[in-house]
């Protein structure tokens, strides 16, 4: 009897879990390894929880660039840079700036929205195969425009989203209040919003952990506390993964280890991925606290309810991970309190603060491609959209592995280091 092909997935975050599920479904004998002791301990741990398909747009755009100096000087904006990170990733920064033109923004956003559409159906299909509990809720997302100019600029980009097949609408202040009556108590003024009903929420960590448990029950081997140090090859073919626990043989290796993926790739195949740090805080709340999820772009804060918990997330610092700074946590709590004073008990000692980094590429497109040796694939660099794009990225990867002729390779390949 022909032996099953063996696949090793490096990384047990949401991208590794969905990649592994795809490989299992495709008939591989799958092993997942992660350096941490549990799944979803990296960026997938306590993110903003938004499956924001219609909002899968590129980070770099002319407006972002124009507003950057002001944001950097404004302590309320949550935007910051670490000089060390700038020095380490100067080539990334230069390439990112080149992606801030209107033309590149439109092209990158179109491709992200296409992937988001694939992801929306792939996620729904996955939920038919597994009964996963992750505080999922079919809710909408409301993006709050701080000024008329911001609203008009967002309205100009609605056709891109509609062209991709998403339902999105511009709302005036009164209509926003109908969608989120809690904003009636807000201390902040706003000019209106962009609302998308097809934007559910869910706990990414619970999804990842439960999916991994389900796969273990189906025979997937999962090894925690095991760090990959090298991808082994023979000639042009992948043969396994060297770890601090020995070599695991493999016919296919998927690097789903986020920010660390480039370290395991030959230089010419390394995607440029840089850290964009954010923090979150999770507070107990009443289920009536909030229905839609809310994004305040001016202060870079997102608020959503996951079951009995309010998740407030924010900040965009070009900096590596670390402990959540008190100042950053206080800032996002203050912003949430100002928007919705009664949504949660903001003074509770039960709050859980977290700091994570978005593994960000220069054009916001994840790197999903064959990378060097035959059988070696990367699925990393999902930036601020990894939860949203996870199921679709696994589907793109499936098409590439199935074709194995490189035909799909350019689909979401962000290319080597600039
Ligand atoms: C503050 C914040 C808010 C966010 N909000 C949202 C949101 O609302 N919606 C959305 O779609 N996305 C959001 N994101 C982005 C999303 O969380 C990430 O894009 C996604 O989690 C990336 O998943 P990943 O599996 O690639 O990386 P990770 O979750 O970081 O997983 C990588 C794993 O690889 C392991 N690893 C690394 N190197 C090795 C090695 N050598 N050997 C073995 N294991 C290794 C790590 O331990 C880790 O577990 C947010 C991110 C942040 C930081």
């Amino acid at each position: 009897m022909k032996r099953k092909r063996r696949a090793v997935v490096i990384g047990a975050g949401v991208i590794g879990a969905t990649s592994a599920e795809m490989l299992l479904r495709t008939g591989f004998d799958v092993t997942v390894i992660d350096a941490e002791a549990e799944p979803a301990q990296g960026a997938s741990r306590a993110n903003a929880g938004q499956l924001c398909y219609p909002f899968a747009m590129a980070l770099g755009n002319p407006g972002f660039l124009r507003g950057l100096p002001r944001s950097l000087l404004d302590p309320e904006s949550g935007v910051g840079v670490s000089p060390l990170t700038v020095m380490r990733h100067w080539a990334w920064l230069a390439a990112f700036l080149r992606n801030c033109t209107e033309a590149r923004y439109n092209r990158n956003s179109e491709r992200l929205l296409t992937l988001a559409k694939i992801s929306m159906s792939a996620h729904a299909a996955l939920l038919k195969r597994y009964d996963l509990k992750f505080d999922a809720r079919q809710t909408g997302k409301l993006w709050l425009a701080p000024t008329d100019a911001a609203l008009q600029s967002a309205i100009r980009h609605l056709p891109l989203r509609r062209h991709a097949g998403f339902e999105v609408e511009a709302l005036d202040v009164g209509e926003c209040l109908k969608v989120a009556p809690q904003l009636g108590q807000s201390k902040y003024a706003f000019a209106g919003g962009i609302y998308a009903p097809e934007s559910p929420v869910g706990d990414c960590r619970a999804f990842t952990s439960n999916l991994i448990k389900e796969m273990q029950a189906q025979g997937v081997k999962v090894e925690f506390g095991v760090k990959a140090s090298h991808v082994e090859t023979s000639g042009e073919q992948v043969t396994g993964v060297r770890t601090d626990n020995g070599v695991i043989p493999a016919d296919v290796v998927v690097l789903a280890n986020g920010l660390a993926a480039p370290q395991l790739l030959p230089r010419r195949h390394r995607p440029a991925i840089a850290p964009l740090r954010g923090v979150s805080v999770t507070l107990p709340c009443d289920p009536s606290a909030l229905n839609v999820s809310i994004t305040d772009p001016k202060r870079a804060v997102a608020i959503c309810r996951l079951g009995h918990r309010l998740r407030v997330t924010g900040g965009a610092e070009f900096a590596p991970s670390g402990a959540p700074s008190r100042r950053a946590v206080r800032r996002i709590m203050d912003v949430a309190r100002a928007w919705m004073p009664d949504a949660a008990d903001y003074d509770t000692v039960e709050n859980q603060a977290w700091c994570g980094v978005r593994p960000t590429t220069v054009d916001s497109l994840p790197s999903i491609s064959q990378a060097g040796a035959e059988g070696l694939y990367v699925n990393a660099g999902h930036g601020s959209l990894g939860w949203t794009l996870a199921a679709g990225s696994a589907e793109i990867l499936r098409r590439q592995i199935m074709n194995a002729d490189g035909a799909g390779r350019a689909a979401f390949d962000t290319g080597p280091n600039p």
Side-chain angles (χ1 to χ4, degrees):
M1 200 175 77
K2 214 174 152 198
R3 79 161 166 81
K4 267 181 151 184
R5 292 180 79 205
R6 292 165 302 197
V8 173
V9 177
I10 303 173
V14 69
I15 302 299
T18 47
S19 303
E21 195 274 333
M22 175 278 291
L23 289 162
L24 171 70
R25 191 161 32 94
T26 312
F28 281 87
D29 185 350
V30 185
T31 302
V32 179
I33 62 167
D34 198 291
E36 296 291 338
E38 294 173 45
Q41 293 301 296
S44 309
R45 186 177 162 132
N47 63 24
Q50 300 182 343
L51 289 150
C52 43
Y53 307 111
F55 289 87
M57 309 282 279
L59 177 65
N61 65 70
F64 173 85
L65 206 55
R66 273 194 305 275
L68 192 58
R70 195 155 20 107
S71 300
L72 286 171
L73 293 172
D74 177 3
E76 237 209 304
S77 72
V79 175
V81 288
S82 128
L84 271 179
T85 308
V86 171
M87 275 157 65
R88 186 151 179 234
H89 293 282
W90 63 268
W92 184 99
L93 264 181
F96 172 75
L97 295 178
R98 286 198 294 278
N99 274 282
C100 288
T101 63
E102 189 71 22
R104 293 266 186 114
Y105 172 68
N106 285 338
R107 194 200 61 180
N108 296 335
S109 298
E110 262 173 42
R111 294 171 76 194
L112 279 169
L113 287 163
T114 304
L115 179 54
K117 196 75 189 169
I118 296 170
S119 210
M120 196 163 99
S121 353
H123 183 82
L126 189 149
L127 295 186
K128 287 201 177 118
R129 294 191 289 277
Y130 301 92
D131 180 21
L132 301 177
K133 302 274 179 282
F134 58 103
D135 282 328
R137 216 153 42 82
Q138 270 303 336
T139 172
K141 167 166 160 151
L142 184 59
W143 180 94
L144 293 164
T147 59
D148 273 329
L151 185 61
Q152 292 315 317
S153 165
I155 289 173
R156 270 202 304 281
H157 292 118
L158 289 186
L160 261 183
R161 298 165 184 201
R162 290 189 179 130
H163 184 70
F166 291 112
E167 205 185 312
V168 271
E169 52 185 321
L171 305 185
D172 62 24
V173 173
E175 290 166 328
C176 289
L177 292 177
K178 279 194 194 131
V179 171
Q182 295 81 356
L183 297 177
Q185 297 183 315
S186 168
K187 287 189 189 152
Y188 296 135
F190 60 102
I194 302 296
Y195 176 63
E198 298 159 306
S199 216
V201 295
D203 184 330
C204 181
R205 180 189 183 186
F207 169 92
T208 306
S209 305
N210 291 334
L211 181 57
I212 285 180
K213 266 189 214 140
E214 292 278 349
M215 289 191 288
Q216 281 177 299
Q218 293 192 28
V220 168
K221 294 180 261 328
V222 185
E223 299 183 23
F224 291 114
V226 173
K227 187 170 181 188
S229 55
H230 185 71
V231 176
E232 304 267 307
T233 53
S234 169
E236 290 299 303
Q237 171 64 48
V238 149
T239 55
V241 176
R242 180 172 297 280
T243 74
D244 45 13
N245 204 18
V247 173
I248 308 174
D251 306 296
V252 162
V253 171
V254 177
L255 303 184
N257 52 337
L259 198 61
Q263 292 162 21
L264 294 175
L265 284 168
R267 182 167 282 278
R268 70 179 188 288
H269 290 288
R270 270 179 213 165
I273 304 180
L276 199 58
R277 179 159 75 186
V279 293
S280 75
V281 63
T282 309
L283 307 155
C285 76
D286 192 84
S288 62
L290 178 68
N291 217 1
V292 288
S293 67
I294 282 173
T295 295
D296 169 355
K298 181 175 176 193
R299 299 165 190 90
V301 167
I303 310 170
C304 86
R305 180 172 65 77
L306 300 168
H308 286 74
R309 297 167 298 154
L310 195 74
R311 170 82 41 90
V312 183
T313 313
E317 289 179 75
F318 195 58
S321 194
S325 91
R326 275 192 188 194
R327 195 177 56 82
V329 170
R330 195 174 328 112
R331 188 191 75 85
I332 61 169
M333 295 263 268
D334 288 348
V335 171
R337 196 196 310 255
W339 279 113
M340 292 178 297
D342 297 333
D345 176 3
Y346 296 101
D347 297 317
T348 180
V349 286
E350 285 179 57
N351 76 61
Q352 294 163 20
W354 171 76
C355 174
V357 290
R358 306 163 180 96
T360 308
T361 59
V362 295
D363 51 12
S364 306
L365 292 160
S367 184
I368 312 170
S369 69
Q370 198 249 328
E374 215 172 292
L376 176 57
Y377 293 86
V378 61
N379 185 9
H382 293 73
S384 56
L385 292 165
W387 176 211
T388 306
L389 302 179
S393 301
E395 170 54 21
I396 298 295
L397 187 65
R398 186 190 69 77
R399 294 177 194 173
Q400 293 181 4
I401 292 176
M402 288 294 95
N403 288 335
D405 58 2
R409 179 168 178 185
F412 291 97
D413 187 357
T414 55
N417 257 325

